[in-house]
């Protein structure tokens, strides 16, 4: 199979997934992944196809493979970090989730979704203060609520240390 065939088959499988034919997409991506085991983009799409079907444990090796390889676009790398971290969290592998999501938040500091999922994983590991800090910072920075915006400076201040008193 040549690169053109690979590209066509990958595009068709992604289209199937986005059109709601997840199992057919997953089967095609498994076949494509067997033909291109070192292809990070194929591994990412295969992981995603498993995730949307609730097959999180089966998605993990594909996420790990795509992140270990090269060739992912920046947007796909961002999605893979979020996907793997979230999947680890759902599987109860909280420390791994924190590690992956923290790496994602460091690489993509503008990504509020990565920080939100990191906050959830931090909650699961008992790091409630840091989880709350992340969520308060996101709320203060992004809320359109006029009352939250009015108290943005105070929220940001207290987010740094919720235990602070006078």
């Amino acid at each position: 199979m040549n690169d053109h065939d690979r590209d066509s088959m990958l595009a068709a499988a992604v289209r199937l997934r986005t059109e709601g034919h997840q199992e057919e997409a997953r089967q095609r991506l498994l076949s494509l992944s067997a033909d291109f085991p070192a292809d990070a983009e194929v591994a990412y799409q295969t992981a995603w196809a498993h995730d949307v079907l609730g097959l999180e444990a089966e998605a993990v090796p594909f996420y790990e493979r795509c992140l270990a390889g090269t060739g992912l676009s920046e947007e796909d790398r961002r999605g893979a970090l979020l996907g793997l971290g979230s999947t680890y969290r759902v599987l109860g592998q909280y420390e791994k989730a924190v590690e992956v999501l923290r790496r994602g938040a460091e690489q993509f500091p503008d990504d509020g979704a990565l920080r939100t999922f990191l906050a959830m994983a931090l909650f699961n590991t008992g790091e409630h203060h840091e989880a709350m800090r992340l969520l308060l910072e996101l709320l203060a920075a992004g809320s359109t609520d006029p009352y939250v915006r009015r108290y943005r400076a105070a929220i940001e201040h207290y987010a740094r240390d919720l235990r602070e008193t006078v």
Side-chain angles (χ1 to χ4, degrees), residues 3-166:
D3 287 345
H4 176 73
D5 293 339
R6 174 251 183 226
D7 293 347
S8 297
M9 291 178 68
L10 182 59
V14 170
R15 189 170 42 259
L16 283 168
R17 188 195 70 238
T18 60
E19 291 174 355
H21 306 283
Q22 288 92 351
E23 181 56 33
E24 186 178 352
R26 185 180 79 89
Q27 291 301 322
R28 288 189 185 193
L29 286 161
L30 283 170
S31 176
L32 198 55
S33 186
D35 290 340
F36 295 91
D39 189 308
E41 185 180 12
V42 170
Y44 174 56
Q45 293 299 332
T46 306
W48 193 346
H50 283 84
D51 245 355
V52 298
L53 287 168
L55 303 171
E56 287 87 358
E58 292 88 342
V60 169
F62 294 103
Y63 278 129
E64 290 173 340
R65 187 186 311 169
C66 78
L67 288 167
T70 60
L72 279 184
S73 70
E74 184 172 296
E75 195 59 32
D76 285 351
R77 181 163 185 73
R78 181 188 304 245
L81 287 163
L82 181 84
L84 179 59
S86 173
T87 298
Y88 278 148
R89 195 188 77 74
V90 167
L91 294 172
Q93 297 178 29
Y94 303 129
E95 296 296 334
K96 286 183 177 181
V98 167
E99 177 187 329
V100 170
L101 292 165
R102 195 180 300 280
R103 183 169 26 126
E106 288 168 2
Q107 289 178 22
F108 302 100
D110 63 321
D111 190 319
L114 277 163
R115 293 194 320 256
T116 300
F117 279 85
L118 174 56
M120 288 187 267
L122 288 165
F123 173 85
N124 294 124
T125 62
E127 296 179 61
H128 302 125
H129 189 269
E130 187 177 357
M132 190 69 171
R133 179 187 58 78
L134 285 170
L135 293 177
L136 286 172
E137 288 173 351
L138 282 167
L139 177 67
S143 180
T144 58
D145 183 297
Y147 299 102
V148 170
R149 293 179 66 82
R150 182 182 300 164
Y151 294 101
R152 178 180 177 173
I155 294 168
E156 288 173 334
H157 172 78
Y158 290 119
R160 288 188 286 279
D161 187 359
L162 287 168
R163 295 180 188 94
E164 180 182 315
T165 61
V166 292

